[in-house]
């Protein structure tokens, strides 16, 4: 036995009205929900940008701290190097039989500073060891 299913006109109109109501509800929900979604989307984009900027700021702070530490280490190394030059100049003058000769020590310091500057490729530096020793070197003027 075969049963025949036939939709009555009333059921067809009910189905059509239900579909139309669903479309209207979905369209209305989209119109109402779209502005809220845009606000939420902008809020999320703002939070992402804020996190990016905070990360970039932290990276800059870390870089500045590293550069600060490196400059301190370079200054400490330069100080040790200059103290070594001063000790070597003093010993060199003693070896030459001129202990306590200030001109001898200054000349040896100039030579050491000029050699170091030429070796490292710097254009000029002011070297000082405490108050008594101060040598300014400019390799363009013959090391004086």
């Amino acid at each position: 036995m075969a049963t025949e299913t036939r939709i009555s006109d009333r059921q067809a109109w009910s189905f059509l009205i239900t579909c139309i109501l669903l479309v209207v509800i979905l369209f209305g929900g989209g119109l109402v929900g779209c502005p809220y979604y845009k606000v939420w989307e902008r809020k999320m984009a703002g939070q992402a940008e804020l996190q990016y900027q905070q990360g970039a700021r932290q990276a800059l702070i870390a870089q500045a701290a590293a550069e600060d530490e490196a400059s301190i280490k370079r200054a400490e190394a330069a100080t040790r190097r200059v103290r070594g030059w001063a000790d070597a100049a003093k010993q060199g003058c003693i070896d030459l039989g001129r202990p306590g000769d200030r001109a001898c020590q200054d000349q040896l310091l100039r030579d050491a500073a000029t050699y170091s500057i030429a070796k490292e490729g710097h254009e000029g530096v002011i070297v000082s060891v405490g108050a008594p020793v101060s040598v300014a070197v400019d390799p363009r003027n013959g090391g004086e």
Side-chain angles (χ1 to χ4, degrees), residues 24-131:
V24 168
I25 289 172
L26 288 174
F27 184 72
L31 289 177
V32 171
C34 190
Y36 290 109
Y37 173 75
K38 286 183 179 181
V39 169
W40 176 81
E41 182 181 34
R42 287 184 182 161
K43 177 182 172 186
M44 292 295 112
Q47 287 180 354
E49 180 66 21
L50 178 63
Q51 288 179 348
Y52 173 78
Q53 292 296 334
Q54 286 175 341
R57 180 177 175 265
Q58 289 174 350
L60 287 174
I61 289 171
Q63 181 182 0
E67 288 173 0
D68 189 35
E69 184 177 338
S71 66
I72 290 170
K73 295 294 184 185
R74 281 192 298 271
E76 289 172 353
T79 301
R80 284 191 304 272
R81 187 170 47 246
V82 170
R83 286 186 179 148
W85 292 345
D87 292 342
K90 190 181 289 186
Q91 185 61 44
C93 290
I94 291 171
D95 292 345
L96 291 172
R98 298 168 60 184
D101 186 354
R102 198 71 192 149
C104 175
Q105 290 180 14
D106 286 346
Q107 184 59 46
L108 289 176
L109 277 174
R110 280 189 196 96
D111 292 345
T114 303
Y115 172 76
S116 176
I117 290 167
K119 180 179 168 189
E120 295 177 13
H122 298 293
E123 294 189 12
V125 69
I126 296 181
V127 178
S128 67
V129 179

